[in-house]
Every structure is written in C-alpha cells, then in structure tokens.
Amino acid sequence: MLNRLKDVRIYQRVAESLDPEELISYEEYLSLVDAILRCEHHWPPARRIEIRKTFSQKRRIVYNYPTSEMFVLRVLNYYLFRRFKRLISPAYFPSQGRSPSQCLDYLLERLERYSRVNECPTSDLYGLHMDISDYFNSIDPDRLFERLPEELQADEAFRELYKQTIQSNICLLYDGTVAKRRGGMAGFPIAAFFAAIYLSEMDEHIVKLGIPYARYSDDILFFNSDENSLTALNAYLEQFLKDSGLVVNQPKTVKINPGEPWTFIGFEVHNSTVDIAPHAEEKIKRRIGRWARRLRKRVEQGYGRPLRRSSPEKAAAALIRRINRALFKPIKDKYCWARWAFPTINTTKRLEALDVYIQEKIRYVYTGRYSRANYRILPYERLAAMGYKSLMKLYHLYQYRPDDYQAFLDGFAAESPVISPIAQ
C-alpha cells in the first residue's frame, strides 16, 4: 500500500508547503522510501525537545528525527489523511488544513442547525468543555495499532516503521544521552493522523447523535438541549477515554449552563459574539509583564559581565520587538498569533484591553513607574516611531485593507527566524 508514496505528485504537494531547509531532493526521498518499503531502513532514536509555549512558562515535549526522515513522515501523514478520509470525523480538527477559525465556524453552524431542528434557542442549550491531559504523549502505542485501518496493520513496511518509531520506547535528550519515552510522540509528523484515528470511534458515536460537537486534538466541546442527556454523554466520554488509557483534565473540564459564555481553542463565544478567551488574554499579559520587569532591571541594575546598563530607549524598543515577534511573526507553517485570532473574532473588546496594557508596560520600561505623566513623557507618536503596532489598527487593516495587512505580515516573515515558535 505504501508504494503510493513514490508518486512524484504527492512529493511535490508536500514540498510546496515547506521551507527549503525542511526539503530533500526527490532522488534522496525516493531512495529512502525504497529502503523503508524493503524494511531495510534503520530509524535512529527520536530526539526529545522541550519547547516553551508562547506567553507561558510551561514547556511542550515534542520529538523529531533528522530532516530526511521527517520529510518522509510528512508525506506519509499527508497520504494517510487522504487515503483514510472516510474514517476521520468531520468534527475532528485539525485535519486537512482546516484552521481554528474554520473549526469554530463549523461548531457555530452545527449549533444553529441543532437550534432550528429542535426549536430551542442556542442560549437555552447545556454544554460541556472537556480537556485531555497530555493527549499525544499518553496515547498507548499498542491500543493505537489495534485501532488503525486493517490495510495499514497488514502492510509489512508500515508495521516495521511503526515498530521502530512509535513502539520504540527510547529517545535522545539534547545532550545525546538515551532516555525512555512514551505515547504517540507529539511533534512527530504522522502523530496528527494517529491523534485523529485513536478517538475516531468516539467522534463517530457523538456525531451520530446529531448534537453540536467538535474536537480539536485534546480539546472537546459538545452541547445538548437536555441536561440529563449531557450528563450521560459525559459519563460515556470519560469511560471511553479511560479505556483508551487517557486521563481527563478535571480542572479544565467545565459545564456550560444556558446563557453562559463558553470558551474553545482560545476563543470565548457569548451568543453571536466571538472574542479572545479571558485565559488567553491573561497569558499574553503575564508574559509581557515578565518581559517588562526584566528589561526595566537592565535599565536600573545593568546586565552581563561587567554590568552594563541599558538606556530607557533601548529597553523600551527591545520590549516592542519581543511583543511584535510574538504576535505577528509567522514561523515555519506561516502561522502567527494575529493569523490565529483576527479571522475568528468579531469584537475588539480584548484587543483594546491588550493595547492599553502593552502601551502601559512599554512606558513603564521607559520611566520605571506607572503614572499619568508617562503619556506626556512617551506619547503614542514616539511609541509608533519605536516600532509599536496597535492591535486595534492592525485588526481594522485586516478587515478593510487585507493586502496591506498581508504585506505587513510578510515583512515580519522576511526577518530572521524566531527562537521560540508560536504554539496555541
């Protein structure tokens, strides 16, 4: 079955979506695929990497391989999503290139349809938002293999690939030492397909009930007009996840009563209004607050050996650069915070609050205090001259002058790579 990977058209489609440093030549690719098909390729231990989440001190554990192996796995992931499209629920995201905005649109459309059919306003529905703890790295490799399509299980080349990668329980740390690992390996290109298949039976069961439902990897949300039915479905989900070796993150599992706002994949929805979720806003503020405190210390105490004090202008400009890169700098998949948020929200309430907060922190770094005099000492015009970009102005640019907005993001994409990738 994996002979289809040798098709040059599949190679080209994947290559078009990647940066040059992630590519290998078709000849090298073909040679590696042939070795995999003959079960002669020896897969090295995966390398374990810790990535700090954007606007958070938490770290995400991901795994990767050398460039050539990673490219083959990207092609395999692309092929499997299309070969077994029928097995993946339309309520599952992310798959087939669908964005968070499309995920939320799908869910809102299902809510409206359910409301019309059952003659029940969406404001009268009960809901449940459930989160799975460390989903990718908690997937049981043996259970996962049993849930894969029979066609894959019977393929000798795939079985060998699966044995040397997913079922291997060792990895390399950053210093080259060998360590044990578990689960479905987050960051592994084909992990996206595995994450979809592992709970596809659960997805299909809920979709057949005809209720509004969506799953974004480990994030689950569904609604029902009857509270008792909601409770029964919650029990089914918890048991299915338990049987799958997964654990529900109880602090993040929230019941939604009629008329209450609800959050999903970083957005808050209240009736027809969609905004950035409160916890997403707070994460951004906390991170920017930490940056501001560190940069102000450089002004007051200095840094490095010997101690060197930074000027207020340089420290404020450094904070602006960090904020701009975190919010607007696209990374490998050409995605950034602004591209995630702007297409989805339809109100500027929290964008306004973030603008006020960001300007306050920049002025604090410059003056060392919070005072009304800061507005006179460092007016908006000087902030803009130092590189500050208003979220409100960029959002309106996105809405009314999309070409100029795209040109702005492309300007950031042309800069040097960012060390810490964006992760929503």
Side-chain angles (χ1 to χ4, degrees):
M1 186 202 73
L2 296 188
N3 278 317
R4 283 283 294 152
L5 296 182
K6 298 166 74 172
D7 189 333
V8 67
R9 291 171 298 180
I10 296 178
Y11 165 87
Q12 290 172 340
R13 287 171 187 165
V14 175
E16 288 169 359
S17 65
L18 300 176
D19 289 335
E21 66 269 16
E22 298 174 306
L23 300 179
I24 59 174
S25 67
Y26 180 64
E27 291 72 21
E28 182 183 354
Y29 166 77
L30 203 58
S31 174
L32 184 54
V33 169
D34 281 334
I36 292 171
L37 293 176
R38 296 193 303 268
C39 301
E40 295 176 357
H41 181 67
H42 177 71
W43 290 79
R47 185 170 293 276
R48 183 181 185 269
I49 301 172
E50 292 187 8
I51 298 177
R52 176 174 288 177
K53 296 182 179 181
T54 304
F55 305 121
S56 173
Q57 287 187 309
K58 295 181 180 178
R59 294 181 180 272
R60 188 189 304 276
I61 305 298
V62 299
Y63 300 89
N64 75 357
Y65 282 105
T67 302
S68 54
E69 280 84 355
M70 289 290 279
F71 183 85
V72 170
L73 293 174
R74 286 188 175 97
V75 177
L76 180 58
N77 185 64
Y78 174 88
Y79 170 68
L80 292 179
F81 260 118
R82 282 146 186 80
R83 177 69 180 82
F84 299 105
K85 182 179 179 180
R86 69 187 187 281
L87 301 179
I88 299 171
S89 169
Y92 173 79
F93 295 79
S95 67
Q96 302 170 34
R98 296 186 293 180
S99 66
S101 177
Q102 291 172 312
C103 175
L104 205 58
D105 287 344
Y106 169 89
L107 183 57
L108 292 172
E109 190 274 330
R110 292 299 187 274
L111 275 167
E112 289 296 329
R113 182 188 299 180
Y114 182 82
S115 176
R116 289 195 303 269
V117 171
N118 293 274
E119 298 180 351
C120 174
T122 56
S123 58
D124 290 345
L125 299 178
Y126 293 89
L128 188 72
H129 182 196
M130 181 180 289
D131 183 83
I132 304 172
S133 296
D134 196 19
Y135 177 45
F136 283 94
N137 294 324
S138 297
I139 292 176
D140 182 87
D142 296 330
R143 285 195 186 101
L144 171 60
F145 187 80
E146 293 171 358
R147 296 179 183 184
L148 292 175
E150 292 182 2
E151 205 174 333
L152 274 180
Q153 295 182 32
D155 190 285
E156 183 182 2
F158 178 80
R159 289 201 310 270
E160 184 61 26
L161 180 153
Y162 191 87
K163 178 182 177 181
Q164 292 193 45
T165 56
I166 298 297
Q167 289 182 321
S168 171
N169 64 352
I170 62 170
C171 65
L172 294 179
L173 302 181
Y174 70 95
D175 59 358
T177 57
V178 178
K180 289 190 175 182
R181 53 155 294 273
R182 62 186 179 85
M185 297 174 69
F188 193 51
I190 201 175
F193 176 75
F194 291 154
I197 291 295
Y198 196 59
L199 297 179
S200 59
E201 181 184 335
M202 181 188 79
D203 294 334
E204 189 64 24
H205 173 81
I206 302 175
V207 168
K208 285 181 178 178
L209 297 177
I211 63 172
Y213 167 79
R215 176 167 72 94
Y216 198 92
S217 295
D218 58 352
D219 217 2
I220 299 170
L221 182 65
F222 59 91
F223 293 87
N224 202 305
S225 58
D226 179 60
E227 188 174 9
N228 293 329
S229 298
L230 189 84
T231 303
L233 188 54
N234 180 33
Y236 163 81
L237 282 171
E238 289 190 343
Q239 187 59 48
F240 190 96
L241 294 173
K242 182 179 179 181
D243 293 342
S244 302
L246 302 173
V247 177
V248 176
N249 190 342
Q250 293 297 345
K252 289 188 177 181
T253 298
V254 180
K255 180 184 176 184
I256 305 160
N257 292 313
E260 289 183 347
W262 47 272
T263 63
F264 189 54
I265 55 174
F267 297 102
E268 180 184 70
V269 180
H270 191 200
N271 298 325
S272 60
T273 302
V274 182
D275 204 348
I276 299 162
H279 73 271
E281 178 191 9
E282 286 304 312
K283 278 184 179 179
I284 296 173
K285 287 182 175 180
R286 285 197 301 270
R287 189 65 173 157
I288 292 174
R290 286 194 292 270
W291 289 342
R293 289 192 295 273
R294 291 172 187 168
L295 287 167
R296 183 58 201 175
K297 283 184 178 180
R298 291 189 174 189
V299 177
E300 297 174 349
Q301 302 174 9
Y303 66 100
R305 293 184 180 179
L307 288 178
R308 297 174 299 167
R309 287 192 177 185
S310 176
S311 69
E313 292 85 356
K314 287 185 178 180
L319 178 59
I320 289 172
R321 286 195 300 272
R322 287 191 183 187
I323 293 170
N324 285 347
R325 287 188 172 187
L327 296 176
F328 312 122
K329 171 76 175 178
I331 53 166
K332 290 181 179 180
D333 59 358
K334 309 301 184 293
Y335 214 55
C336 67
W337 186 89
R339 275 205 174 107
W340 165 80
F342 288 178
T344 309
I345 62 175
N346 56 21
T347 180
T348 59
K349 177 183 174 183
R350 292 203 166 90
L351 288 186
E352 291 179 42
L354 282 171
D355 268 342
V356 170
Y357 183 85
I358 290 170
Q359 292 177 35
E360 181 183 70
K361 291 300 178 183
I362 296 170
R363 291 185 172 107
Y364 161 74
V365 169
Y366 189 88
T367 67
R369 61 181 182 273
Y370 297 100
S371 169
R372 288 185 179 181
N374 285 355
Y375 293 88
R376 175 178 52 80
I377 297 170
L378 199 63
Y380 182 85
E381 291 74 18
R382 284 195 65 189
L383 294 180
M386 295 167 73
Y388 167 69
K389 306 297 180 183
S390 165
L391 287 170
M392 282 287 294
K393 288 187 176 181
L394 284 170
Y395 179 67
H396 291 308
L397 194 69
Y398 162 78
Q399 285 189 310
Y400 303 114
R401 293 162 56 191
D403 290 342
D404 291 344
Y405 168 76
Q406 186 59 49
F408 167 77
L409 291 185
D410 290 343
F412 271 98
E415 293 181 359
S416 56
V418 181
I419 296 174
S420 299
I422 299 294
Q424 296 296 340

